[in-house]
């Protein structure tokens, strides 16, 4: 499992709708904003890259020191962004794909307003379980 | 674009130029010092030539002309690698100065992103970047691994005042002033020697100087000897319009007059001297040297044979263990000579020749593993490619190679890497590859905070300038840079970068980013003592519910400390802590409608209105003839505002919400109100004054938030409480107007942690209100906030004494309605209506004095009379109190009520009391008092009957009664059974003292008894008609309850 990993889902309006620190490292107070900064800045790259490929998984698109940003863009242009320091591309791909399935289930919920915050605790536990499995 | 005209090209033409070493005697310095300059400083402005026009031939005899040229002058003592410490101090000074200049901007408005995007590169970039970069590059000069910093010529300077100047020249040359590079053998000691005699006209006639000059020419060679005359006389004071020395003297104060004694002649003399030096000495010398070296190199290294030999020879060398930096090359080694040849060719703009030599030497250095030298050559190759504008890819590849190789050489290489990085960045910028340039800046940012701060900031601007602009990256790098500035105590710069970042990241929903930005910039502003800005930024982070508890505490603590430090009683509009739930706003006021309890006020208006229909005079009665102007007028004018009465409190309920996990203490929570006393006599005036008020409001509100200055005109309630983490609390606030006029509730204010006052305005924008009103025909809370305060009228207060909340079905209680009137004015025409007459009924004052249940005891006579009265009362839904009723003063008015819990279930009893005001001038003619009581009725006894005909006689029926106690804990005693009706009479089958008459029924217990229904004999048919319908026959069921008292429930009607 990765020591540092921050997973975030960004809606098409650039609003983070789900955030989770899924790394095994002890959570540091100042890490949260740094992770957000890196992921936020990486969106500039995603913006360019997303339209150049038909693949949803964009691989590692940006890095900051030893932290790498991997991105998965859904058809609806919701972005799954993972900040990590491990290098298992396959694991990350599987992680994204399974999270995508979970996300689709969330969207199918008639009570969920697309683009709003994902507050489902079930989703949260599932994502964390996936992170333990793949990252 | 001509590469030489690009910023990098200009930079190179400026920085990579021949160096002239200057060695002079102290007396020369002294002469120059009188003009406030050192010798080098004096000559420096005249060292760059924009149009020197010197013919040069390349090594292969191709003629060309040099136009722009520059010489760099250095004292011999300065020709060494600058001390890192000193250099860093210098750089720091540059940054600090730039920061001071920026101070005024820190307190201006936030810069806008659009502005940034639309303005040109030079406008955005701080001007000191260029200067800083130049200084940074200079700290890397005079390295032994490159030759362009090695002096081409040496200028020996002796003053005419020196004794025996000729000898002094010799002394200077043999002195110990020569730089270490020469002594190490890294530099060729056979450089061009020039001799200069400086003569100050102040110290004597020029003749002596000319005499010395002739002497010099004869001994030192006529070519290399020159004379320079200067002035230092007080008389010849000259003001230079554009002081040429100013840019070369960084630490000069503006008042200091540099070179003020030098006149125009001196100017021209210096100019000519330098031009002469460059065109007649330095350039020809270099040209000659290039030619010689080229021949030498061709002989040893060019050609197939030499190449093979070289390879072979190098290979053999490979076996020997090398020093980390490769072998040491002296100036006489062929490698050094190739490098010198390359650099000289470069400086003479013969880039083809330079490139071929750099290529040649680069492979050698690589084979020798002399990495630093290899990197240096690669760097120069990149620059040469760039200036030739040939292969962009090659140029970049070389720069990257140089950069990486420098990094490989360890910590000493970092500085060189920075220099090559800066050049590389400029190269990329020239080609509009801003994104890549930003990457390079990031790579050269390094460890040292200040240095990396500047580099990161430059990187951020590259992101801004890239197409399309990468604003998020821009913001992020500004933040990184700001952090580094902070680490190196450059708070002003840190604030500057963060402010820029805020302008970009403003409005983002990434909350941690927002918090970080505002918190830090707020803290830094408070360091600088700009508390207003600090507070406004720190306020942004207060409602940080997503942060951890410790962070929340920390944020709040810092905020409060800043407030304290600012030393002002801070009043903050829209303080985000706690959150005010505007939609929860509820205003309860009393005009003609008054409420006995807050629960009654919460009931929907329509319920009350439907109940009131019968008792309240209908609306048309208000609209009377033209004589009744005043009331009409007031109604018209105030149709959009509510009416309230002097001395009667308006209650406002508003919800406070705590978004944090920590509890926050709030005190002095109260309403903010305005009351404009109205002149009673002139209506038109009143009208205009209200209009004025409307206009004044906005200005007044902005100017001074405390309009409660006229405190005496209304009374406010103060609430103090602590909001628990994540808690919500509905707060009841009241305001009592004390004088007539127009009254308005503006908002609510509170004190946070007893140090900071926050405000919240209730009023929404008027446009929105209109739209709302049209769409839904509902009153928005904001409409409720304007009041017209009218003269006091009597207000009845009423309640029902000891009305229970929970009763059992069938329970009967006597209650008392208590009415009070605190005012001096009397009321009349009291009426009352109850929504559920089956549950609550109005009693009779007659048996008022008797105790319950004694009042219900059956009497032997006079029953019929009362029954008649009761029925008449029952038919009317509205109960009219007797005319003589007076409710006034201290004594309260009491009236009996009967509670009769008819059926199980929950029931809300609505009671309306109507009364009219005796004073005819009053605007309010009548008032109603609304009371609400909620009653829960539990099931008690379940009674069922089974009637079967008596087998023996037709006149009798057998009745079986089953009684079950449905309660869970209550015990009942059954006292009596009554049957109503004149035809039948009921009696027990057996006498009561027999077995089955159970005295008490425990909970859940059931019991049955048998009764007989017997037809009554028509003995007295003549006696009345209707009254008989209520003839009652009673059966006592209890053996206890001495005296066999019978009760008549109907008496409670």
């Amino acid at each position: 499992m990765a020591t540092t990993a921050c997973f975030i889902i960004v809606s098409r309006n650039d609003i983070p709708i789900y955030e989770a620190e899924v790394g095994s490292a002890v959570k540091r107070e100042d890490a949260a904003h740094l992770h957000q900064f890196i992921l936020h800045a990486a969106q500039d790259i995603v913006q360019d890259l997303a339209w150049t490929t038909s693949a949803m998984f964009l691989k590692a698109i940006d890095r900051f020191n030893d932290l790498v940003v991997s991105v998965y863009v859904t058809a609806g242009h919701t972005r799954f962004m993972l900040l990590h320091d491990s290098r298992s591309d396959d694991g990350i791909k599987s992680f994204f794909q399974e999270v995508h399935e979970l996300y689709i289930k969330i969207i199918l919920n008639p009570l969920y307003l697309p683009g709003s915050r994902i507050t489902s605790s079930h989703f949260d536990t599932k994502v964390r379980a996936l992170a333990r499995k793949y990252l | 674009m001509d590469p030489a005209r690009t910023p990098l090209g200009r930079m190179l033409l400026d920085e990579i130029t021949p160096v002239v070493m200057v060695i002079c005697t102290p007396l020369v310095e002294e002469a120059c010092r009188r003009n406030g300059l050192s010798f080098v400083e004096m000559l420096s402005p005249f060292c760059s030539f924009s149009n020197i026009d010197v013919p040069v031939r390349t090594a292969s005899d191709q003629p060309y002309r040099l136009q722009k040229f520059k010489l760099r002058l250095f004292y011999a003592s300065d020709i060494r690698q600058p001390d890192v410490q000193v250099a860093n101090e210098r750089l720091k000074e540059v940054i600090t100065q730039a920061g001071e200049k920026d101070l005024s901007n820190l307190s201006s408005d936030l810069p806008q992103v659009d502005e940034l995007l639309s303005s040109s590169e030079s406008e955005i970039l701080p001007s000191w970047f260029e200067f800083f970069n130049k200084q940074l590059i200079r700290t890397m000069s005079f390295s032994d691994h490159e030759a362009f910093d090695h002096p081409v010529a040496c200028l020996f300077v002796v003053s005419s005042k020196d004794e025996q100047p000729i000898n002094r020249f010799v002394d200077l040359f043999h002195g110990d002033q020569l730089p270490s590079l020469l002594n190490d053998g890294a530099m060729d000691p056979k450089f061009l020697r020039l001799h200069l005699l400086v003569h100050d006209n102040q110290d004597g006639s020029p003749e002596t100087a000319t005499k010395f000059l002739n002497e010099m020419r004869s001994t030192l060679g006529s070519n290399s000897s020159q004379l320079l005359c200067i002035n230092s006389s007080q008389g010849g004071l000259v003001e230079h319009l554009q002081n040429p020395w100013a840019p070369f003297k960084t630490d000069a104060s503006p008042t200091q007059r540099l070179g003020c004694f030098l006149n125009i002649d001196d100017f021209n003399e210096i100019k000519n001297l330098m031009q002469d030096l460059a065109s007649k000495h330095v350039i020809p010398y270099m040209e000659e040297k290039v030619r010689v070296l080229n021949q030498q190199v061709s002989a040893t290294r060019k050609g197939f044979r030499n190449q093979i030999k070289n390879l072979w020879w190098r290979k053999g060398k490979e076996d020997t263990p090398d020093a980390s930096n490769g072998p040491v090359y002296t100036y006489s080694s062929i490698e050094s000579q190739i490098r010198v040849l390359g650099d000289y060719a470069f400086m003479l703009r013969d880039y083809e020749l330079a490139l071929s030599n750099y290529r040649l030497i680069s492979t050698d250095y690589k084979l020798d593993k002399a990495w630093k030298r290899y990197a240096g050559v690669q760097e120069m190759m990149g620059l040469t490619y760039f200036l030739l504008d040939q292969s962009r890819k090659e140029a970049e590849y070389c720069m990257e190679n140089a950069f990486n190789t420098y990094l490989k050489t360890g910590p000493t290489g970092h500085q060189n890497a920075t220099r090559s990085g800066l050049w590389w960045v400029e190269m990329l910028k020239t080609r509009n590859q801003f994104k890549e340039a930003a990457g390079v800046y990031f790579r050269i940012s390094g460890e040292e905070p200040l240095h990396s701060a500047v580099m990161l900031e430059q990187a951020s601007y590259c992101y801004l300038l890239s197409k399309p602009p990468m604003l998020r990256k821009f913001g992020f790098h500004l933040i990184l840079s700001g952090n580094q500035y902070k680490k190196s105590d450059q708070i002003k710069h840190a604030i500057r970068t963060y402010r820029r970042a805020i302008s970009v990241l403003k409005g983002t929903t990434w909350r941690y980013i927002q918090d970080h930005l505002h918190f830090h910039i707020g803290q830094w502003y408070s360091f600088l003592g700009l508390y207003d800005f600090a507070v406004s930024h720190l306020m942004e982070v207060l409602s940080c519910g997503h942060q951890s508890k410790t962070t929340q505490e920390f944020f709040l603590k810092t905020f409060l400390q800043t407030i304290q430090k600012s030393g002002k009683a801070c009043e903050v509009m829209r303080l985000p802590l706690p959150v005010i739930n505007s939609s929860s706003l509820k205003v309860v006021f009393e005009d003609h409608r008054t409420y006995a309890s807050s629960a009654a006020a919460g009931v929907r208006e329509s319920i009350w209105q439907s109940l009131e229909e019968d008792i309240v005079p209908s609306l048309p009665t208000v609209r009377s003839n033209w004589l009744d102007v005043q009331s009409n007028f007031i109604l018209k004018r105030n149709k959009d505002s509510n009416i309230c009465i002097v001395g009667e409190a308006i209650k406002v309920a508003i919800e406070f919400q705590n978004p944090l996990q920590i509890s926050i203490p709030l005190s002095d929570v109260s309403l903010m109100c305005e009351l404009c006393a109205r002149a009673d006599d002139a209506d038109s005036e009143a009208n205009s004054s209200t209009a004025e008020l409307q206009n004044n409001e906005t200005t007044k509100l902005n100017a001074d938030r405390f309009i409660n200055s006229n405190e005496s005109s209304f009374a406010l309630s103060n609430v103090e409480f602590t909001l628990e983490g994540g808690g919500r609390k509905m707060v009841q606030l009241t305001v009592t107007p004390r004088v007539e006029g127009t009254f308005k509730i503006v908002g609510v204010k509170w004190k946070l942690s007893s140090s900071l006052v926050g405000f919240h305005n209730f009023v929404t924008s008027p446009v929105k209100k209109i739209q709302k009103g049209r769409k839904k025909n509902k009153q928005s809370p904001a409409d409720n906030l304007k009041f017209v305060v009218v003269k006091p009228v009597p207000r009845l207060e009423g309640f029902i004494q000891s009305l229970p909340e929970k009763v059992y079905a069938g329970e009967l209680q006597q209650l008392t309605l208590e009415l009070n009137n605190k005012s001096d004015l009397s009321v009349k025409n009291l009426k009352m209506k109850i929504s559920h007459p089956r549950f609550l009924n109005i009693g009779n004052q007659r048996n008022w004095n008797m105790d319950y249940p004694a009042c219900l005891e059956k009497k032997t006579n006079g029953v019929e009379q009362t029954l008649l009265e009761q029925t008449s009362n029952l038919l009317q839904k509205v109960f009219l109190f007797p005319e003589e009723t007076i409710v006034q003063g201290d004594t309260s008015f009491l009236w009996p009520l009967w509670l009769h819990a008819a059926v199980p279930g929950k029931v809300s009893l609505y009671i309306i009391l109507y009364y009219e005001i005796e004073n005819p001038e009053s605007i309010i003619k009548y008032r109603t008092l609304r009371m609400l009581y909620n009653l829960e009725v539990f099931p008690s006894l379940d009674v069922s009957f089974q009637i079967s005909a008596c087998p023996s006689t037709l006149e009798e029926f057998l009745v079986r009664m089953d009684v079950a106690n449905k309660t869970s804990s209550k015990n009942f005693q059954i006292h009596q059974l009554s049957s109503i009706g004149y035809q039948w009479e009921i009696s027990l089958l057996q006498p009561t003292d027999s077995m089955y008459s159970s005295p008490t029924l425990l909970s859940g217990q059931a019991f049955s008894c048998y009764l007989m229904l017997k037809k009554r004999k028509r003995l007295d048919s003549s006696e009345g008609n209707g009254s008989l319908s209520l003839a009652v026959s009673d059966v006592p069921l209890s053996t206890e309850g001495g005296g066999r008292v019978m009760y008549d429930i109907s008496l409670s009607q």
Side-chain angles (χ1 to χ4, degrees), chain B residues 245-344:
Chain B
W245 289 281
F248 292 87
K249 193 106 174 168
T250 46
D251 51 345
S253 57
T255 51
Q256 200 177 345
R257 283 175 300 190
L258 300 169
C260 55
F261 304 123
L262 298 171
N263 56 32
I264 296 294
D265 291 341
D266 299 327
F267 258 59
N268 289 332
E269 205 178 333
I270 299 174
K271 214 175 190 170
N272 288 334
L273 174 83
M274 291 318 291
Q275 182 130 7
D276 201 51
L277 203 72
S279 58
K280 295 212 179 111
H281 298 280
V282 175
I283 296 175
Y285 172 78
M286 287 172 75
E287 195 184 347
E288 185 57 32
K289 183 123 190 207
V290 165
R291 206 176 294 266
V292 171
L293 284 172
N294 192 35
Q295 274 170 10
Q296 223 171 324
V297 169
S298 301
T300 50
R301 300 296 302 278
K302 296 267 169 79
F304 184 65
R305 211 181 110 221
N306 283 332
Q307 277 180 15
I308 296 286
K309 207 169 85 185
N310 183 43
L311 264 176
W312 186 254
W313 177 62
R314 295 265 165 201
K315 244 186 178 172
K317 240 178 137 180
E318 213 172 13
D319 302 331
T320 56
D322 285 328
S324 63
N325 231 352
V328 177
Y329 301 93
T330 54
Y331 69 93
S332 53
S333 69
I334 186 69
E335 286 86 358
S336 288
Q337 283 182 344
I338 296 174
R339 172 77 208 220
V340 168
L341 174 59
D343 283 347
Y344 274 34

Side-chain angles (χ1 to χ4, degrees), chain B residues 515-763:
Chain B
D515 288 353
H516 174 88
L517 278 177
H518 287 295
F519 179 70
H520 283 90
I521 200 168
Q523 259 193 326
W524 298 338
Y525 268 127
S526 90
F527 284 146
L528 292 184
L530 298 166
Y531 292 111
D532 290 351
F533 290 97
V535 168
S536 72
H537 280 288
L538 284 175
M539 218 157 64
E540 301 275 336
V541 301
L542 279 185
S543 55
C544 51
H546 50 280
Q547 297 277 16
S548 69
K549 202 173 168 181
T550 45
T551 315
Q552 290 175 2
E553 270 167 1
F554 180 59
F555 280 179
L556 188 61
K557 205 178 89 189
T558 315
F559 180 66
L560 293 174
Q561 276 172 355
T562 311
I563 295 277
Q564 256 171 15
K565 269 191 236 159
S566 71
K568 282 187 279 186
C570 221
E571 293 143 24
V572 182
M573 192 67 200
R574 287 193 203 91
L575 182 71
L577 204 66
V579 176
I580 307 286
N581 188 354
S582 289
S583 61
S584 72
L585 177 67
K586 231 180 245 166
V587 182
V588 178
F589 60 95
E590 299 178 331
D591 40 10
H592 63 272
R593 304 161 288 196
T594 61
Y595 301 94
S597 62
S598 58
V603 174
R604 261 186 300 138
E605 180 68 19
S606 59
I607 292 177
W608 291 120
Q609 271 173 1
S610 63
L611 274 171
E612 273 175 4
E613 266 173 5
D614 303 337
I615 45 174
V616 170
S618 56
L619 212 63
T621 54
V622 183
R623 194 181 60 196
S624 53
N625 57 20
W626 54 273
L627 286 165
D628 204 2
V629 186
Q630 203 192 5
S631 67
N632 242 348
F633 165 71
I634 281 176
L635 276 172
K636 207 191 289 169
R637 204 188 62 193
N638 304 313
K639 60 178 184 281
D640 59 333
S641 47
N642 304 306
I643 293 175
C644 68
I645 290 134
V646 169
E648 291 183 20
I650 299 168
K651 288 178 195 148
V652 175
I654 184 99
E655 191 183 59
F656 283 73
Q657 219 171 309
N658 184 0
L660 304 182
Q661 292 167 40
I662 47 174
S663 57
I664 45 174
L666 298 176
S667 57
D668 286 351
V669 183
S670 66
L671 291 169
M672 294 192 298
C673 304
E674 281 176 279
L675 196 141
C676 182
R678 174 166 49 87
D680 267 326
D681 46 355
D683 299 335
S684 57
E685 246 177 65
N687 218 347
S688 65
S689 79
T690 46
E692 231 171 84
L693 180 79
Q694 296 283 347
N695 291 335
N696 285 350
E697 253 167 33
T698 45
T699 50
K700 240 201 264 174
L701 288 188
N702 291 338
D704 182 15
R705 298 305 315 169
F706 276 117
I707 319 148
N708 300 354
S709 51
N710 47 352
E711 289 282 357
S712 58
S713 60
F714 50 83
L716 291 165
S717 70
N718 260 357
V719 183
E720 192 169 329
F721 60 97
T722 300
L723 261 184
E724 294 303 316
R728 296 154 174 261
K729 189 169 174 138
M730 204 69 184
V731 179
Q732 286 279 355
L733 300 167
T734 61
V735 56
T736 314
R738 286 189 189 138
V739 292
E740 289 168 72
T742 39
F743 180 71
K744 193 177 171 200
I745 299 175
V746 180
V748 65
K749 72 173 200 283
W750 65 92
K751 217 173 199 183
L752 177 66
S753 299
S754 63
S755 57
L756 176 70
V757 180
F759 297 100
H760 180 85
N761 264 10
F762 291 142
V763 185

Side-chain angles (χ1 to χ4, degrees), chain B residues 27-175:
Chain B
L27 282 174
V28 176
E29 276 301 306
E30 196 186 304
C32 299
R33 197 60 70 193
R34 286 182 216 151
N35 273 307
L37 296 162
S38 71
F39 182 69
V40 165
E41 275 167 359
M42 190 169 78
L43 297 189
S44 288
F46 307 98
C47 280
S48 53
F49 317 99
S50 56
N51 196 7
I52 193 168
D53 199 28
V54 180
V56 196
R57 278 169 182 278
T58 61
S60 47
D61 275 343
Q62 288 282 323
Y64 66 100
R65 298 186 88 84
L66 273 179
Q67 299 300 338
K68 276 181 97 170
F69 199 70
K70 192 185 168 185
L71 290 177
R72 289 184 289 159
L73 298 187
F74 291 100
Y75 286 117
S77 52
D78 289 340
I79 299 189
R80 58 185 164 84
Q81 286 211 286
D83 187 37
V84 182
Q85 289 289 323
V86 177
N88 282 345
E89 282 301 314
R90 247 184 91 95
L91 290 176
K92 194 172 167 184
E93 206 176 296
V94 169
I95 294 171
T96 315
Q97 274 175 3
E100 296 298 333
K101 278 183 204 156
D102 263 2
L103 186 62
S104 59
N105 292 333
L106 293 186
S107 36
S108 61
D109 285 337
L110 277 179
Q112 294 298 314
V113 196
D114 305 342
E115 270 171 45
L116 279 180
L117 286 175
S118 58
S119 46
S120 69
E121 180 181 343
S122 54
E123 284 172 47
I124 304 168
L125 286 173
S127 52
W128 52 272
F129 275 177
E130 203 182 328
F131 185 64
F132 177 85
N133 286 349
K134 208 178 236 176
Q135 291 294 331
L136 191 62
I137 286 173
R138 282 193 185 154
T139 58
M140 263 73 86
S141 49
F142 304 116
S143 167
D144 59 344
H145 77 289
E146 47 203 7
F148 53 76
D149 281 333
H150 297 179
V152 173
C154 182
L155 187 63
F156 298 99
V157 193
V158 171
S159 166
S160 57
K161 272 168 81 184
D162 278 310
E163 283 172 30
Q164 290 189 317
I166 313 298
N167 290 351
R168 296 291 296 160
F169 279 122
V170 182
D171 291 346
L172 284 181
F173 180 62
H174 293 293

Side-chain angles (χ1 to χ4, degrees), chain A residues 8 10 14-16 19 29 32-33 36-38 40-41 43-45 47 62 64-65 117, chain B residues 435 442 468 470-473 476 479-480 505 508-513 516-517 548 550-551:
Chain A
I8 212 166
V10 183
D14 293 349
I15 299 167
E19 291 147 68
E29 264 311 301
H33 72 258
Q36 278 214 344
F37 268 123
I38 298 170
H40 184 257
Q43 282 189 87
D44 271 334
I45 315 256
Q47 198 175 289
D62 197 11
F64 179 76
N65 295 338
R117 244 188 137 64
Chain B
K435 208 171 122 187
F442 189 80
M470 302 170 87
L471 289 178
R472 288 172 274 218
K473 286 259 178 197
F476 179 40
I479 297 299
L480 289 174
L505 301 171
T508 177
T509 46
W510 295 58
R511 294 170 302 188
Y512 286 95
I513 291 182
H516 174 88
L517 278 177
S548 69
T550 45
T551 315

Side-chain angles (χ1 to χ4, degrees), chain B residues 795-850:
Chain B
R795 179 179 183 275
L796 287 193
E797 281 167 29
F799 65 96
I800 298 173
Q801 286 174 1
S802 64
L803 183 87
E805 284 178 5
K806 291 171 184 175
V807 288
Y808 286 92
E811 205 170 324
L812 184 72
Q813 280 190 31
Q814 190 182 32
L815 304 170
T816 310
L817 172 74
E818 185 179 332
L819 295 177
N820 289 309
N821 182 6
K822 292 273 165 65
S823 75
D824 308 331
L825 304 162
S826 55
V827 296
K828 60 180 183 183
N829 282 350
L830 266 76
K831 291 186 228 173
M832 186 158 83
K833 190 179 172 185
I834 293 164
S835 64
H836 293 82
R838 216 183 150 190
F839 284 85
L840 193 66
N841 219 325
I842 296 150
N844 200 318
Q845 229 173 358
R846 190 159 23 82
N847 39 19
W848 182 239
N849 296 327
M850 283 188 269

